[in-house]
Amino acid sequence: MATATGSVAHVVEVGPRDGLQNERKALSVDTRVEFIRRAVSAGLKRIETVSFVNPARVPQMAGAEEVMAALPRLDDVNYIGLVLNERGLDRALAAGVDEVNVVVVCSDEFSLRNQGCDVAEGLARWERIAERSRAAGVFTTATLAVSFGCPFSGEVPASRVIEIMDRVAQSGPDEIAIADTIGVGVPAQVRDLGAGLARVAPGVAHRWHFHNTRNTGYANALTALDLGDCALDSSIGGFGGCPFAPAATGNIATEDLRYQLERSGVSTGIDGTKVVDTATWISTELESPVTALLGRAGPFPG
């Protein structure tokens, strides 16, 4: 999965979590499990399957334990659970996730709306969760939300994000993910934040989460790959958003990201036909149109 310059990209499928959490229609546990089975069949190896949050706040994510219990367990597939606090971690560990993804927000206002605490408390929660995850032997990612801009506070300075990266790195994450939660980022910001991440967290794996709100998501993803080895989040069908971030439209689409990577000489291991078929299927289940380009145009031969 190396580029011509030697960088390696791993695609992380977030459709079953981020893709579904903001949709009007809540899907059944069985349908969500089938969605994940189809993603696995298409060749995806890291899948963010569930979110261990209060179902009263995000009803689309209810039944996380039931989803996890029904999934096929394969040696080469990792199922990721998103957690916001220690109660969420308790549930994730009990459910047997392979990885946990912990959200740390980079602006106080969004942190209060999304997690009920300011950034300082969010960092303290992260430190407690990281210690417990490490003790449990579970791969742990810290995702820095609204790293490119906040829907309520506006600009989030790169210096602020890098300061939070530095604090997060001190707790020994396996991976740090930089998230453009509302799709306002551009490649110049990716380069700035990538340089900061390399400086304050040497040796920690890089992951990037882009939304395509302003049609910059794919350019941002390719820019991130140019910086070096990384994981790239995407969602089958281009679905996604955050219930607490107004106008946060869909993630970059797995089928379109796969197309760009493969045509750029990066082998993804993803079956293009199967992932497009899955996008069409989940669109029908959600009664919502596919937002991805290939979801409309169909796969390109080869």
Side-chain angles (χ1 to χ4, degrees):
M1 293 188 288
T3 64
T5 58
S7 296
V8 175
H10 300 280
V11 177
V12 179
E13 175 58 46
V14 300
R17 196 278 302 174
D18 199 18
L20 300 183
Q21 71 173 7
N22 205 39
E23 287 297 311
R24 175 183 54 82
K25 183 179 179 180
L27 300 181
S28 69
V29 166
D30 288 345
T31 303
R32 288 157 62 193
V33 169
E34 177 61 19
F35 186 20
I36 296 162
R37 288 180 185 274
R38 288 175 183 243
V40 171
S41 178
L44 289 145
K45 303 297 186 185
R46 292 181 72 192
I47 304 174
E48 198 160 273
T49 54
V50 290
S51 179
F52 294 94
V53 296
N54 186 340
R57 299 196 75 202
V58 190
Q60 296 88 340
M61 291 292 101
E65 286 83 358
E66 290 85 349
V67 170
M68 286 298 303
L71 293 177
R73 293 295 182 148
L74 304 170
D75 290 341
D76 61 345
V77 175
N78 275 17
Y79 297 129
I80 306 169
L82 182 133
V83 304
L84 302 183
N85 51 41
E86 289 182 89
R87 170 58 181 149
L89 178 65
D90 290 339
R91 293 175 59 198
L93 295 178
V97 300
D98 300 299
E99 305 180 26
V100 295
N101 182 14
V102 185
V103 177
V104 177
V105 182
C106 294
S107 75
D108 283 317
E109 189 166 357
F110 189 80
S111 187
L112 287 165
R113 291 173 184 252
N114 192 60
Q115 295 173 226
C117 68
D118 62 13
V119 173
E121 174 56 25
L123 284 165
R125 289 181 183 179
W126 151 252
E127 289 163 355
R128 295 192 295 268
I129 292 170
E131 181 177 7
R132 291 184 53 201
S133 296
R134 187 164 53 247
V138 176
F139 187 98
T140 305
T141 300
T143 290
L144 307 190
V146 298
S147 290
F148 293 79
C150 172
F152 307 108
S153 305
E155 297 287 348
V156 178
S159 58
R160 164 79 160 166
V161 179
I162 294 167
E163 178 185 341
I164 293 170
M165 285 179 195
D166 192 8
R167 173 80 177 270
V168 164
Q170 293 173 29
S171 296
D174 295 294
E175 179 179 71
I176 294 177
I178 309 302
D180 185 8
T181 307
I182 56 173
V184 294
V186 297
Q189 289 175 285
V190 175
R191 288 189 288 270
D192 287 347
L193 293 177
L197 182 57
R199 184 173 68 252
V200 303
V204 177
H206 297 190
R207 179 171 157 190
W208 299 87
H209 181 95
F210 297 115
H211 286 240
N212 203 41
T213 311
R214 291 163 179 80
N215 293 320
T216 58
Y218 299 99
N220 290 340
L222 294 179
T223 300
L225 182 58
D226 282 343
L227 299 178
D229 297 354
C230 65
L232 297 169
D233 287 2
S234 61
S235 170
I236 290 173
F239 293 101
C242 176
F244 309 106
T249 55
N251 295 277
I252 58 174
T254 303
E255 54 271 34
D256 289 344
L257 178 63
R258 177 224 172 254
Y259 175 83
Q260 290 194 86
L261 292 175
E262 294 280 351
R263 297 284 288 180
S264 300
V266 183
S267 176
T268 64
I270 300 170
D271 185 308
T273 299
K274 285 187 176 181
V275 80
V276 168
D277 288 347
T278 300
T280 302
W281 172 81
I282 196 63
S283 172
T284 300
E285 294 295 324
L286 288 168
E287 300 174 3
S288 182
V290 169
T291 60
L293 297 178
L294 286 182
R296 295 194 296 270
F300 185 74

